[in-house]
Amino acid sequence: MTKYEIKGKKDTRSGFGAGLLEVARKNPAVVGLVADLTPSLKMGEFAKEFPERFFQCGIAEANMAGVAAGLAIAGKVPFIGSFAEFVTGRIYDQVRQEIAYGNTNVKIASSHAGITLGEDGATHQTMEDVALMRALPNMAVVAPCDYNQTLAATKAAAEFQGPVYLRFGRPSMPIFTDENQDFEIGKTYVMNEGGDVTIIAYGHLVWPALEAAQLLEDRGISAEVLNVATIKPLDKETILASLTKTRRCIICEEHNQAGGLGEMIAALVLENAVAMESFKLLNGGDRFGESGTPAQLMAEYGFTAENIAALAQ
C-alpha cells in the first residue's frame, strides 16, 4: 500500500536543532534564545557555533519572550525554545501582548508537546497548547510529523514573516518523509490517496495513521491519509476535497478535544455543508496527561494504528 518506509528513528526536536543550525549558517539575522533547556531543545550546536547569537535566558520564559520581541523589532529572526507547556500556558500573556499582538517575527520552538514527553507527567506535558496558540491572531501553528519534516519546517519558519508556533517532541519516532523536502506553511500533505475514508493527523500520529491505512487496505478499505502539518492557517481546500470525496473521517491528534484540530474541521464541515456519513475524533478528551513511557501512554490514549483502523471502519 504505502510508499513510505521507516528510515530510522529519531526525535523530532533534533530536527529542529539541525534546522536551526542550517538557517543560522545562511542568515546572520537568526538568533536563538532558550529558557535553561539548551540540551532538551537540541540548541547546543547552535550555541557552540554562534555564541554571540545565543542567549541563555534562564528559567525566565516571560522575559525571554520580551527579549525576543525586541530583537525581532530590531530586525533579527529570533527562535525561542522551551517545553511546550512553558512557552504557552506559563507565558501566555507575554506571547499574546508582545509577540502575537505586535505581529513580531518571533518563532516559538516548543518541544515535549503532548503526552509523549512520558514519565515527567501532567505538569510538564501539554494537551492544550494548540488551542491556546491557534486562538491568537497572527500566529501560525505548525506541527511536523518526523525528524526530516521538522527540519524542513524550521527552515520554512525562518523564512515566514510573522510569529510561528512550532510544535515537536522528545521521543524517538519513525523517520519516513523525504530527507530534502520542501515545506510550505499552510499546506496539508496528502500522504496516501484513498476513496473510502479520510484519516487526518498531525505530529506523532501521522505514522500510526499510515499504518492504520495499511491495515484497512488489507481489509478491503481504501483510506486517504492527510498530514495537517500546518494547523493554522488551515489548508481548507485540500481537507474539503478529501472529505467531499470520502464523506467519512477520523481525526487523530495528540491533544485534547477542546480547541483542537477536530473542532476546527467540524466547523469547516458545517460551514461548507459537507454531508458526512461518519465523523469521528481520536484525542485526549478532557483530561490531563499521566506518567508512563511514551509507548504506554500512546496505548493508554488509543493512539495506535489498530485503534485508528477500528474507528475508521
Side-chain angles (χ1 to χ4, degrees):
M1 179 276 304
T2 180
K3 60 185 178 182
Y4 303 97
E5 60 181 31
I6 295 178
K7 307 165 187 176
K9 289 189 175 184
K10 207 166 188 179
D11 49 314
T12 49
R13 61 178 174 165
S14 288
F16 164 69
L20 178 63
L21 189 60
E22 187 171 330
V23 297
R25 288 169 174 166
K26 296 178 180 178
N27 183 356
V30 170
V31 296
L33 301 85
V34 71
D36 201 41
L37 291 168
T38 306
S40 294
L41 269 292
K42 300 298 182 180
M43 296 174 75
E45 290 301 314
F46 174 90
K48 181 179 179 180
E49 188 163 332
F50 302 105
E52 74 285 358
R53 291 155 60 185
F54 177 74
F55 303 92
Q56 172 55 267
C57 298
I59 306 174
E61 293 87 353
N63 183 59
M64 178 175 68
V67 171
L71 286 166
I73 292 169
K76 303 301 182 181
V77 183
F79 282 79
I80 66 173
S82 188
F83 288 1
E85 164 57 21
F86 303 156
V87 287
T88 59
R90 177 174 288 181
I91 60 167
Y92 196 68
D93 180 54
Q94 285 74 28
V95 171
R96 180 187 189 273
Q97 304 292 81
E98 298 171 11
I99 296 176
Y101 180 63
N103 197 25
T104 55
N105 195 31
V106 176
K107 319 305 173 183
I108 303 172
S110 66
S111 186
H112 298 57
I115 55 166
T116 46
L117 167 56
E119 294 86 346
D120 286 358
T123 58
H124 285 56
Q125 297 163 350
T126 177
M127 296 283 274
E128 315 89 41
D129 58 314
V130 169
L132 289 168
M133 301 308 280
R134 78 173 182 88
L136 293 172
N138 299 321
M139 184 69 68
V141 179
V142 178
C145 65
D146 70 352
Y147 170 90
N148 287 341
Q149 191 167 76
T150 305
L151 193 159
T154 302
K155 293 161 59 177
E159 297 296 326
F160 186 86
Q161 186 61 41
V164 177
Y165 179 67
L166 185 59
R167 186 185 206 250
F168 44 88
R170 180 175 76 174
S172 293
M173 303 296 285
I175 301 172
F176 55 94
T177 65
D178 292 340
E179 183 176 0
N180 297 310
Q181 64 188 279
D182 291 323
F183 186 92
E184 181 180 340
I185 292 177
K187 181 177 180 178
T188 282
Y189 295 89
V190 180
M191 307 293 286
N192 192 69
E193 294 186 357
D196 295 329
V197 62
T198 302
I199 304 175
I200 299 173
Y202 61 85
H204 291 152
L205 295 190
V206 174
W207 181 252
L210 287 168
E211 290 184 309
Q214 177 66 74
L215 294 174
L216 290 167
E217 181 174 283
D218 295 341
R219 300 166 192 172
I221 299 170
S222 173
E224 186 147 286
V225 177
L226 303 185
N227 171 16
V228 185
T230 301
I231 298 168
K232 180 188 176 185
L234 190 64
D235 184 352
K236 299 179 180 180
E237 182 177 350
T238 298
I239 294 169
L240 283 172
S242 182
L243 297 184
T244 301
K245 175 173 60 174
T246 66
R247 299 193 182 277
R248 300 174 66 236
C249 77
I250 175 169
I251 302 166
C252 314
E253 53 184 327
E254 191 186 344
H255 187 273
N256 280 348
Q257 182 164 316
L261 178 64
E263 291 188 351
M264 293 177 71
I265 295 177
L268 183 66
V269 165
L270 288 172
E271 289 169 358
N272 291 273
V274 181
M276 299 294 295
E277 297 175 12
S278 175
F279 190 96
K280 297 181 180 180
L281 304 177
L282 174 61
N283 51 53
D286 184 26
R287 62 193 284 198
F288 288 105
E290 301 179 29
S291 295
T293 67
Q296 288 171 334
L297 293 171
M298 291 282 272
E300 167 68 19
Y301 282 75
F303 298 153
T304 64
E306 293 77 11
N307 192 47
I308 296 171
L311 289 171
Q313 289 182 259

